[in-house]
Amino acid sequence: MSLRIFLFALLIVFVSCATPISPSGGTPDRSGPKILETIPASETTNFDGDRVTFQFSEFVDRGSFEQAFRIEPNINNPYRIQWRRKTARVIFEDEFPANTTIIFILGSDLRDARGNRIDEPFQLAVSTGDIIDSGEISAKMLDANSGRAAESGRLLMYRKPYDLSQPALYVGEADTSGTVRFRYLSDGEYRLFGLDDRNRNRIWDRNREQAQPFPQEYYKLEEGQVKEAGTVFVTRSDTIAPRLLGVGMHTSNRLRLRFSEEIQFGSDTKIQLRSGDSLFTRAIPLFIDKENPSVLFAQSEINTEEEQELTLTLRGIMDLNGNEAEDVPFEFFGSAQEDTVLNRFIRHDTQAGIFHNAPVVVRYAKFIDEPEILDSLIVVAGTQSFEGWEFAETNGNLLQIFPDESWSQNISYEFRVWNPGTMTRQTLRPEIWQPDDLGSIDLSV
């Protein structure tokens, strides 16, 4: 009997604490919650109460209410929330400042019990004085990739004079059209910018969060004035660095590095192999696996030995968003497997185009030690054909074909390079940019 009473009491507590939900069945509910009534009503003046009440059209996810509710301007007034079915009452501990327009906002995080979001942010404005401020600044937030309304991101707005080390006075979220409206503003000068405010602290963390400015630095409002600030195109920046997950030795000098995401490397990439406390050798990045772009192949300058204990460190490996992999030492074992990998053509590194005095760069699968790669090179300039081009050299796994001073204007070039993997020549026709083809772009920052 005691156990039954305990379980019954526990059930009552659970039901009373849980977010209520409408019965299932019928047409799926796709619409978000609506605010039927607020106490006080919006644009009430001489407000001196200690609470505001929201009555909803349906049951609301109570956790989302806590996340969506905020006060603007940013006033540090502690509060608690009381619930009664579809009604939320927010009770404040301190008095509000005199002669101030206060805006209680329910942002786009607000959801009903089925997870449907509110259609657009809701604002309840009251004044502790005789008048409600009526200035307004509106702006657009669009996704940089699609041009549609931004699904994430916020606008932060400060009043002059401002301090970016302090939380913003106002925070704006876009509605379904991408429009953000800052309403009930007093006269003054305001500065706003788009921000990927990930930790929702209303402060721009310059090291981790991406910000976008508007065309003007300040927007000056007079009494009751309405202004358009323009458009910002927002992106959700990737700030997570790639991680080295594994190192494998295919042969005594050929390494396979596997990362947590797709990566890229450049001329400044450094890979070192250490044995104990001393440097054993360097490894040169060869190419990224076309089928699995999170895998990088590299070749060491000195062969390793079977079960040799080595530590790899690296620098200059980045993901596609420019986040550099951390230089965390990775331990692995060497190999004495003979390198019998057949060299082959990987790609033409300068296929996007080259300047008139720059070399054509061709990448191979391993260090070039086959003399036929240089001996079989053919450069076709217009109607002339040159075999064994004297201005070519190899560097690691790269074949570099230099011009004789510069590639001539009004002559089409063709480069036929040897592919040991197929025992045939690859034909390359890069675009060559002459000085007359080049323009300029002037940027003001």
Side-chain angles (χ1 to χ4, degrees):
M1 179 63 70
S2 299
L3 179 60
R4 291 178 180 175
I5 293 173
F6 172 75
L7 292 175
F8 181 70
L10 185 63
L11 179 63
I12 292 175
V13 171
F14 175 77
V15 171
S16 63
C17 292
T19 295
I21 187 168
S22 302
S24 59
T27 304
D29 179 11
R30 304 296 186 193
S31 60
K34 294 178 174 52
I35 292 89
L36 301 179
E37 183 183 15
T38 63
I39 303 174
S42 190
E43 302 190 9
T44 294
T45 57
N46 297 308
F47 174 73
D48 59 357
D50 65 346
R51 65 194 62 194
V52 292
T53 302
F54 299 89
Q55 183 180 347
F56 296 97
S57 60
E58 55 185 317
F59 291 111
V60 168
D61 182 296
R62 296 177 180 181
S64 74
F65 181 93
E66 294 179 9
Q67 189 174 8
F69 181 76
R70 64 179 186 270
I71 309 167
E72 294 183 354
N74 188 26
I75 297 172
N76 186 20
N77 191 342
Y79 60 85
R80 67 182 190 277
I81 302 171
Q82 288 183 348
W83 284 94
R84 186 159 186 245
R85 293 182 61 77
K86 302 176 185 177
T87 300
R89 182 179 294 113
V90 185
I91 303 172
F92 299 92
E93 297 180 8
D94 300 330
E95 292 184 358
F96 289 105
N99 299 315
T100 303
T101 297
I102 311 294
I103 311 165
F104 305 101
I105 296 177
L106 291 176
S108 58
D109 290 324
L110 182 68
R111 300 186 301 270
D112 64 19
R114 297 185 182 277
N116 301 306
R117 291 182 181 270
I118 191 171
D119 293 337
E120 60 181 347
F122 176 83
Q123 297 184 1
L124 164 61
V126 300
S127 173
T128 55
D130 295 332
I131 60 172
I132 289 274
D133 294 321
S134 56
E136 179 177 328
I137 294 177
S138 64
K140 281 275 191 179
M141 291 183 68
L142 301 180
D143 184 270
N145 295 316
S146 66
R148 295 190 289 268
E151 295 182 359
S152 63
R154 313 170 104 191
L155 292 187
L156 267 59
M157 189 165 75
Y158 291 80
R159 183 184 170 95
K160 189 177 181 180
Y162 70 96
D163 181 357
L164 289 183
S165 67
Q166 298 300 313
L169 284 178
Y170 301 90
V171 175
E173 297 175 290
D175 60 19
T176 53
S177 70
T179 302
V180 182
R181 288 186 175 86
F182 295 97
R183 303 173 62 198
Y184 307 109
L185 301 176
S186 60
D187 56 338
E189 290 188 54
Y190 295 87
R191 184 177 190 180
L192 67 160
F193 55 90
L195 182 69
D196 181 17
D197 189 18
R198 297 192 172 193
N199 55 12
R200 301 298 182 96
N201 66 350
R202 307 168 75 113
I203 298 176
W204 178 20
D205 183 344
R206 296 171 185 248
N207 295 323
R208 298 182 180 180
E209 296 172 342
Q210 183 171 340
Q212 287 100 357
F214 277 84
Q216 288 181 222
E217 186 171 9
Y218 290 102
Y219 294 86
K220 186 174 182 179
L221 277 185
E222 297 179 358
E223 182 76 26
Q225 195 173 17
V226 177
K227 284 202 171 181
E228 294 272 349
T231 301
V232 289
F233 293 89
V234 300
T235 59
R236 181 96 176 153
S237 58
D238 174 13
T239 59
I240 300 175
R243 292 179 294 111
L244 179 60
L245 301 179
V247 177
M249 294 293 298
H250 280 201
T251 67
S252 60
N253 62 1
R254 191 173 182 82
L255 295 87
R256 181 182 186 272
L257 282 63
R258 181 170 58 89
F259 292 86
S260 59
E261 58 179 308
E262 186 172 350
I263 49 97
Q264 58 185 340
F265 66 91
S267 58
D268 60 341
T269 298
K270 300 273 190 294
I271 302 175
Q272 293 184 337
L273 306 184
R274 306 188 70 84
S275 179
D277 295 330
S278 59
L279 176 66
F280 174 67
T281 185
R282 294 188 310 155
I284 307 301
L286 298 173
F287 63 94
I288 293 172
D289 191 345
K290 186 177 180 180
E291 302 298 326
N292 187 354
S294 63
V295 170
L296 169 67
F297 286 95
Q299 185 171 340
S300 63
E301 295 179 336
I302 300 176
N303 291 348
T304 63
E305 299 176 1
E306 190 70 31
E307 298 301 317
Q308 181 182 6
E309 295 184 7
L310 296 167
T311 301
L312 183 144
T313 61
L314 53 82
R315 189 179 66 195
I317 301 288
M318 295 177 291
D319 64 15
L320 300 187
N321 290 293
N323 301 304
E324 186 171 358
E326 296 181 4
D327 187 9
V328 178
F330 195 99
E331 297 179 355
F332 68 104
F333 292 102
S335 170
Q337 179 69 37
E338 183 182 357
D339 183 9
T340 58
V341 176
L342 183 66
N343 209 351
R344 59 188 173 90
F345 172 92
I346 293 294
R347 71 168 185 264
H348 171 204
D349 274 14
T350 48
Q351 58 187 328
I354 57 173
F355 292 106
H356 69 287
N357 55 358
V360 174
V361 180
V362 182
R363 184 174 298 274
Y364 286 83
K366 57 185 291 189
F367 290 173
I368 299 172
D369 55 14
E370 300 86 356
E372 61 267 24
I373 288 182
L374 280 176
D375 296 342
S376 300
L377 173 63
I378 298 176
V379 176
V380 180
T383 59
Q384 289 185 291
S385 180
F386 302 90
E387 294 189 22
W389 185 255
E390 61 177 311
F391 306 106
E393 63 183 40
T394 61
N395 180 14
N397 68 320
L398 301 179
L399 168 65
Q400 297 174 305
I401 309 169
F402 292 88
D404 179 9
E405 295 186 357
S406 67
W407 306 113
S408 299
Q409 194 168 14
N410 301 322
I411 293 180
S412 60
Y413 286 89
E414 184 176 282
F415 304 88
R416 300 171 186 171
V417 299
W418 186 249
N419 183 357
T422 60
M423 301 297 288
T424 59
R425 288 186 176 90
Q426 301 277 146
T427 300
L428 313 176
R429 299 182 182 89
E431 180 181 0
I432 298 175
W433 305 320
Q434 298 293 339
D436 293 345
D437 299 329
L438 305 177
S440 65
I441 297 176
D442 294 333
L443 301 178
S444 297
V445 180

